[in-house]
Amino acid sequence: MKIPRSLVVAAAVAVVTPAALLSAAPAFAGEAAVGQTQDQPTYAELVKAAEDAGKAYDLAVAAKAKGREELEATLEELDSDTHPLKAAALDTAKAAKAAADAKAAAEKAVTEAKARLEAARNDTERAEAQQALDSAEGDLAKAVTAQQAADAAARKAQTALDDARVAAVRTYSLLEQALDKALADKQAADKALAAAKECVREAGLTSVAIGLPAKFVAGTTVDFTLRVTNGTTRTLTVDPLVSFHVAGEGAGTKSVLGVEWSDGSRWRPLNGDGSEHIAHVDAMKPGEHSDVKLRMKADSPATAKDALALFAGDASDAYRPCVLGPMKRYDFQVLPAGSTTEPGGDAEPAQPGGKDDTRPGQVTAGQGTGARPQGGAGQQAAQGAGATQATQAAAAGGDGGATLAATGSSSATLPMAGVGAGAVVLGAGAVAAVRRRTSGSGSASATVL
């Protein structure tokens, strides 16, 4: 068979390589536990394994198609009378037939000589008949030996021809097996990658707003802090998520709330038309937290407006592309410019509604400030107006995020805040019932609350 050895070897190597990687990580055949160790393949390795498995499958398909062509051509050649093996089989078969005919003729001569001997009437006839019999028997012995040799040569030639046919079929069979293996590996790699795309819920990855007032007057500026705390057992790459809306704002509409966040050297504005990731942290260790300073100003409404802010932590670790912390919702009011208010305290954190929990998509690594996380066993001083009050409320059993750096525990569930909770209407683009993380290829996986 004329299949290039390089093609067969390449197909075999390509099939084995992704399989070896996947066999090292059987946990990815299904949903992996949140606390699994980080000695599993990285997400990038799973992506590459899926790509390699796809290439191996394509190569195996091509090899099988080429092998089929070669098999048919080889069998056709072997069936040609001009092929050396087929010609040898034909020649030796013909020689064996001739040897068999010679043996039959010798046997007939012996039989006839014996009949003459029995019919002899005198010593002279008997002597002549005996001499003829001896000669015939000698010829028969030679014919038997010749036939045995011819038969052996014919069997050898036919075996060589049959072996060539079997070898051609066996080579093609190996390509069929390689294709089956490549398909199985591709399916396993795709399944492992799909499992890795599914978001993991981490209750300990908490977000809490410190100093966000329950009411503020349009035209004024309010400063507050978003604290994201890693209360999990793993080091995570964290992308804090923020979203601000006022009642009645539709999908894609720029909010009247102008919000900026500090990257440490300058203020960076939010787009204001949906949820956004900010202040990327490359490595937040267990127990650490990161504080992000924000400031907000609103255009002057004619009447008081109900509004809300949503905060959460998105993260990825070494072997998953998507880890989601719980979303926190803060309801507050925007009052017309010039309004006078009594101190209303800070907005209280609450669990979001089912339509609040959405994600804008995967963040490219390195986006944001690359801020260093803070905390550890000690507390980072809260910044912004109302910081002390919010921290005390959290420590007394509110959100739990402000103390999580010290305890490592997850946030507690809070009752819904009553300030305008039912009045806020979000645009369809920002109120998906799932939180989505889009992969680099554009596909998406969703995890229902």
Side-chain angles (χ1 to χ4, degrees), residues 380-407:
Q380 177 73 12
Q383 300 178 10
T388 301
Q389 181 180 354
T391 304
Q392 290 173 348
D399 182 77
T403 60
L404 202 57
T407 64

Side-chain angles (χ1 to χ4, degrees), residues 110 113-114 117 127-141:
V110 169
K114 288 180 177 179
L117 180 60
E128 291 177 353
Q130 184 62 51
Q131 185 178 4
L133 177 60
D134 292 342
S135 177
E137 288 178 340
D139 292 340
L140 176 59

Side-chain angles (χ1 to χ4, degrees), residues 45-308:
E45 288 174 335
L46 289 177
V47 171
K48 188 175 187 305
E51 292 175 350
D52 289 345
K55 293 176 182 178
Y57 175 75
D58 292 340
L59 183 59
V61 169
K64 179 184 175 182
K66 181 66 174 178
R68 182 70 184 184
E69 295 177 359
E70 294 290 352
L71 173 62
E72 293 175 353
T74 298
L75 293 179
E76 184 177 353
E77 290 177 3
L78 290 173
D79 285 339
S80 173
D81 292 349
T82 60
H83 191 281
L85 293 178
K86 181 65 178 292
L90 293 174
D91 291 343
T92 54
K94 183 177 180 180
K97 177 65 170 56
D101 292 342
K103 176 187 174 185
E107 289 173 341
K108 181 179 180 181
V110 169
T111 299
E112 291 175 349
K114 288 180 177 179
R116 288 177 56 192
L117 180 60
E118 291 177 357
R121 294 188 296 271
N122 52 51
D123 292 341
T124 300
E125 289 180 354
R126 282 195 291 274
E128 291 177 353
Q130 184 62 51
Q131 185 178 4
L133 177 60
D134 292 342
S135 177
E137 288 178 340
D139 292 340
L140 176 59
K142 293 178 181 179
V144 169
T145 300
Q147 184 189 24
Q148 291 174 344
D151 287 345
R155 286 194 300 270
K156 183 177 180 181
Q158 186 61 46
T159 298
L161 178 60
D162 292 342
D163 286 348
R165 288 171 174 161
V166 170
V169 174
R170 183 181 293 115
T171 298
Y172 178 69
S173 178
L174 292 176
L175 294 174
E176 287 185 313
Q177 294 174 23
L179 178 58
D180 292 341
K181 181 67 165 54
L183 176 59
D185 288 344
K186 180 180 182 298
Q187 292 172 338
D190 290 343
K191 184 177 181 180
L193 182 59
K197 287 180 179 178
E198 296 177 3
C199 295
V200 175
R201 298 288 175 155
E202 284 279 19
L205 182 59
T206 61
S207 302
V208 59
I210 302 172
L212 176 64
K215 298 180 180 181
F216 85 100
V217 178
T220 64
T221 300
V222 59
D223 294 283
F224 59 98
T225 299
L226 171 63
R227 172 168 290 183
V228 180
T229 304
N230 182 9
T232 74
T233 59
R234 295 179 292 174
T235 296
L236 298 172
T237 296
V238 179
D239 293 299
L241 182 79
V242 298
S243 181
F244 297 83
H245 298 280
V246 171
E249 293 178 343
T253 302
K254 188 172 182 61
S255 178
V256 299
L257 298 174
V259 182
E260 297 176 315
W261 63 279
S262 174
D263 63 8
S265 60
R266 64 188 178 95
W267 288 99
R268 303 168 64 135
L270 298 181
N271 292 330
D273 56 0
S275 54
E276 301 173 46
H277 288 109
I278 63 173
H280 174 87
V281 182
D282 286 327
M284 186 183 293
K285 296 179 180 179
E288 290 185 333
H289 66 261
S290 179
D291 287 346
V292 185
K293 293 181 180 180
L294 297 101
R295 64 186 184 187
M296 177 171 59
K297 187 175 182 179
D299 293 337
S300 177
T303 59
K305 290 285 188 178
D306 293 320
L308 66 78

